[in-house]
Amino acid sequence: MNAEPDFFRSICPPPGWPLDADRHGALAHENARLRESLARQATRLDETEHKLRHAQAELARANRLSLYGELVASIVHEVAQPVTALDSAARAGLRWLERDEPNVARAREALTHISACANRARTIIESLRARAREDAPGFAVFDLGASLREVADLATHTFGAMKVTLRLDPRVPPLPVRGERVLLQQAILNLLMNGAEAMQDRPEGQRELVLDWELAGDSLRIHVDDRGEGFDPALAERVFEPLFTTKPSGMGMGLAISRSIVQAHQGQLLLAPRPDGGTRATLTLPRTAA
Ligand SMILES: Nc1ncnc2c1ncn2[C@@H]1O[C@H](COP(=O)(O)OP(=O)(O)O)[C@@H](O)[C@H]1O
Ligand SMILES: [Mg+2]
């Protein structure tokens, strides 16, 4: 005889079922057990929420950091302009002073212009320095293997909602890499998101994403394989341009930012069609001794 049905009748008796002392006891016991289990679940929820908030804060920071490279390029560009202006104003000032009858008023104008240009360059450099103090990437040796697992965990909820299955071999070994962990995780997350988005027109159950790694000589390769719609091979380089998107509500920044992150790590990022359909994104990084 299976004891279970009796047990359930005792804790959840049908209407009109008399409750004797034993059943009262079982009910009280089961209530206590349920309360305890609810409390445990509430704690777990708190912990999960805390982790999620932490992950979101880290991602926001990663986004700021990846803008850093673009910012440096634009600041270099902006500083070059006042420096060129400084030079031509200095030459003009000298010419006014070297005349047989020096024109002091014009020379003063040139010096005033030089001072303004120097101030502008200093302001730009100071803002760069302030940002560098705040946000400079901190490179260190870390385990990319563990980071892949973290990324997969991070994406679980999003992929669940998109009916996408993410496969990652749980036996991923330690993969030491030198760099900024959160930035590389963001790049991988961008690739996973693109893969998941490319499969949204596939029937549920066929939306499989594979995150894999491969050691090749001095390099470490991370592959993101999807079974999505694929892309036009003629666009293989254009997809990395900032603001290039084929999605109605796309930003077109994911691959551009990811590639600049990977290049900052002396690595490469490529997209290739898979022979049996879908896309393979490959991120190559130099290997590091642990
Ligand atoms: N896995 C993929 N499969 C098919 N096309 C892709 C994939 N990844 C990227 N692409 C193409 O590259 C474009 C740029 O991607 P991305 O920079 O991440 O911006 P977004 O995702 O906002 O469009 C996408 O719009 C898409 O056309
Ligand atoms: Mg994208």
Side-chain angles (χ1 to χ4, degrees):
M1 237 315 256
N2 189 344
E4 252 184 27
D6 268 336
F7 174 70
F8 281 115
R9 247 205 310 275
S10 75
I11 60 164
C12 184
W17 193 267
L19 283 176
D20 58 23
D22 271 3
R23 290 197 181 99
H24 268 304
L27 199 57
H29 179 262
E30 185 55 16
N31 268 340
R33 203 184 64 78
L34 282 174
R35 259 202 305 277
E36 217 175 84
S37 142
L38 273 177
R40 266 201 308 274
Q41 274 175 28
T43 314
R44 264 208 299 278
L45 268 178
D46 275 357
E47 282 168 10
T48 310
E49 203 189 312
H50 178 78
K51 276 192 202 145
L52 202 67
R53 264 205 303 271
H54 179 70
Q56 276 167 348
E58 282 213 297
L59 276 184
R61 181 166 165 268
N63 271 324
R64 283 205 315 279
L65 282 171
S66 51
L67 286 174
Y68 180 76
E70 286 160 34
L71 210 96
V72 170
S74 69
I75 286 169
V76 165
H77 181 258
E78 278 186 58
V79 172
Q81 187 270 327
V83 168
T84 309
L86 274 174
D87 188 39
S88 57
R91 284 166 197 269
L94 282 174
R95 274 199 304 276
W96 289 118
L97 291 175
E98 280 162 4
R99 287 187 158 201
D100 291 340
E101 269 187 327
N103 189 332
V104 176
R106 284 302 187 84
R108 184 180 288 121
E109 252 176 53
L111 285 171
T112 310
H113 189 62
I114 287 172
S115 176
C117 289
N119 271 331
R120 193 170 127 66
R122 191 172 50 234
T123 312
I124 295 169
I125 290 165
E126 266 166 13
S127 76
L128 172 61
R129 216 186 262 146
R131 274 171 192 278
R133 261 199 307 274
E134 239 176 72
D135 289 334
F139 276 35
V141 176
F142 70 97
D143 177 11
L144 189 65
S147 302
L148 293 183
R149 278 195 297 268
E150 269 179 35
V151 170
D153 285 347
L154 252 176
T156 311
H157 288 288
T158 310
F159 289 166
M162 296 170 90
K163 308 283 181 237
V164 166
T165 321
L166 173 59
R167 282 211 290 122
L168 167 65
D169 190 332
R171 292 163 305 169
V172 45
L175 302 169
V177 157
R178 185 172 168 71
E180 167 92 16
R181 182 179 62 91
V182 178
L183 285 185
L184 286 172
Q185 283 184 315
Q186 195 207 350
I188 293 163
L189 205 54
N190 283 338
L191 301 179
L192 290 173
M193 279 309 296
N194 278 346
E197 283 164 358
M199 295 191 290
Q200 286 307 287
D201 288 335
R202 304 268 309 183
E204 291 183 25
Q206 290 181 25
R207 301 181 193 164
E208 195 189 54
L209 205 52
V210 180
L211 178 55
D212 209 347
W213 76 93
E214 186 189 354
L215 299 176
D218 287 337
S219 302
L220 162 64
R221 294 197 194 122
I222 304 297
H223 299 295
V224 175
D225 290 352
D226 67 57
R227 300 195 200 174
E229 61 205 13
F231 68 99
D232 178 356
L235 300 177
E237 274 306 306
R238 280 205 66 197
V239 292
F240 291 95
E241 285 176 18
L243 307 179
F244 178 86
T245 183
T246 54
K247 298 170 194 171
S249 55
M251 281 264 296
M253 286 305 289
L255 286 180
I257 289 178
S258 303
R259 185 177 255 185
S260 74
I261 291 173
V262 175
Q263 286 175 344
H265 288 78
Q266 273 73 53
Q268 285 175 341
L269 181 59
L270 291 169
L271 234 57
R274 293 176 67 203
D276 48 349
T279 301
R280 161 168 279 197
T282 302
L283 190 161
T284 309
L285 289 172
R287 277 172 74 180
T288 311

